[in-house]
Structures are given as C-alpha cells and as structure tokens.
Amino acid sequence: MKLFTVKVSTQNLQLLSKLPAWIDRTLFSEVTKQSRRLTEFVRTVYLSGPMSSTKLGIRSGELRKGTRPLATKKQAASITGGMVIGENTPKYTTAWVGPRGQERVITPVRGQALAIPLTAALTSKGLLKAQYAKVGSLRDVPGLFRIGDTLFKRSGKELVPLFVLKRQVTQRTRVWPEYIAALQGPFIVNEIRTAVQEEIDRRTSGAN
C-alpha cells in the first residue's frame, strides 16, 4: 500500500516544462530518499518489537521483510514514490495492518477450539517450537494432555502449561497506514520542499 505520493498537477505542466532539468532530478532524488526513510521508520518503529498494542515483534520476519520502498517513477505530470507494508504476506497484513480499531475474529478451521501457544511452547523469537509446529495435530504430540482448557506436558515432577484452548480470539490491527501517513506526510512534504529550495539557492549563489 502506498503511504505517500508526490504529484505536480496538470495545470502546471506548461510551467513545469520551462523549469531546468535539475529540478526534476532533485525531486526524483528526494522522493527516493523519503521513500527509503519512511520504510526504515515503519520497520524500526512498528515492526521491531517489543510486542505492544501499536507494535509487532519479529517472529518469522516475513512482514518486516515484505515492507519495502516503492520504485520512484516520473511521468508527464508527476513524480511518485512511497512504500508497501508486507508485500505478498496476506496472512500477516490481514491480521495486523489496517485502519485503527479494526478487529478480526478468528475461529477454528478444524476442531472445536484454537490452541493458543504459551511461553513454554515458543522459541526465544516467539515462534512455535519445531516439535509442535511440525505435527499435523497436537494430538500427535507424545505426553501432551488436557486439564480444563489448558494442554500440559510433564517435565520431571512439574506440569508445564503449553497451550490454552479458546473457541475464538480477536486480533486488533497494530500498524495503521492512515495514521502513519498523517503523521509523516507533513514532514515528507517539508523535506522535499527544503531540498528543492536548497538546490535552487546553491545554484543561484554559484551563478552570482
């Protein structure tokens, strides 16, 4: 999804055609720079954890890997740039990226309950441990048994809780593109204006 676009309106085409080519180059360069900066901002602030109501931790890393700047393009009346969040990762973008307050209710595809992993069932990165991830069903895990709504396994004399069973869970979005655009948009526009003005000043002073 694009988070910002820089455009020159069509009524300014005649004026634009009379401007030196270096202004186009400056705009192109600055839009590219801001696309990369915005991408890094989103990756660092929203996709690097720790997990919270407005942040995602790094687990598989797929959502973060799929967040990248868009290629800057120049057309007759516009120079466009921006970024995409979670390209080709609908599993994660559907759950975590969207309008603020948007919720998604998840119910079991098979069986009567969802098995929500607890800390002991996860790696240090928050991923499901291999012995649970690679089985077709948790029923196939040796030594796993149920007490109430929790699945346990013995470790010596201790009972280790591994999963809690729920009929449904509600996921709320944690990365809000429209909020990021509103927050970063004015800064981006100002940075582009400043870059063009500084280039004009540099070239003007050099000509005197």
Side-chain angles (χ1 to χ4, degrees), residues 83-131:
M83 63 167 294
V84 62
I85 297 177
E87 185 177 39
N88 299 323
T89 58
K91 174 182 175 182
Y92 301 106
T93 53
T94 300
W96 303 115
V97 182
R100 187 173 186 174
Q102 179 175 290
E103 295 182 348
R104 174 182 177 229
V105 177
I106 302 174
T107 55
V109 176
R110 296 178 297 176
Q112 297 181 344
L114 298 166
I116 310 302
L118 302 174
T119 302
L122 300 172
T123 67
S124 58
K125 290 185 176 181
L127 295 172
L128 196 60
K129 289 181 178 178
Q131 62 261 44

Side-chain angles (χ1 to χ4, degrees), residues 24 54 75 112 161:
D24 268 2
T54 58
Q75 299 173 333
Q112 297 181 344

Side-chain angles (χ1 to χ4, degrees), residues 39 41-42 50 64 66 69 74 81 83 93 99 105 107-109 140 149 159 183 205:
T39 300
F41 172 82
V42 171
R64 198 170 189 272
K74 182 183 183 303
M83 63 167 294
T93 53
V105 177
T107 55
V109 176
D140 299 328
D149 289 332
L159 293 181
L183 183 69
S205 63

Side-chain angles (χ1 to χ4, degrees), residues 106-116 137-139 146 148-151 163-169:
I106 302 174
T107 55
V109 176
R110 296 178 297 176
Q112 297 181 344
L114 298 166
I116 310 302
S137 168
L138 290 178
R139 294 187 180 92
R146 178 176 176 176
D149 289 332
T150 305
L151 299 181
F163 298 89
V164 62
L165 302 176
K166 291 183 176 291
R167 293 192 179 276
Q168 67 177 40
V169 295

Side-chain angles (χ1 to χ4, degrees), residues 45-82:
V45 174
Y46 294 95
L47 305 178
S48 296
M51 197 79 158
S52 72
S53 61
T54 58
K55 286 186 177 183
L56 293 173
I58 300 176
R59 290 185 177 178
S60 68
E62 290 182 31
L63 183 62
R64 198 170 189 272
K65 191 182 301 181
T67 298
R68 63 170 184 82
L70 296 173
T72 306
K73 295 181 180 179
K74 182 183 183 303
Q75 299 173 333
S78 66
I79 296 174
T80 62

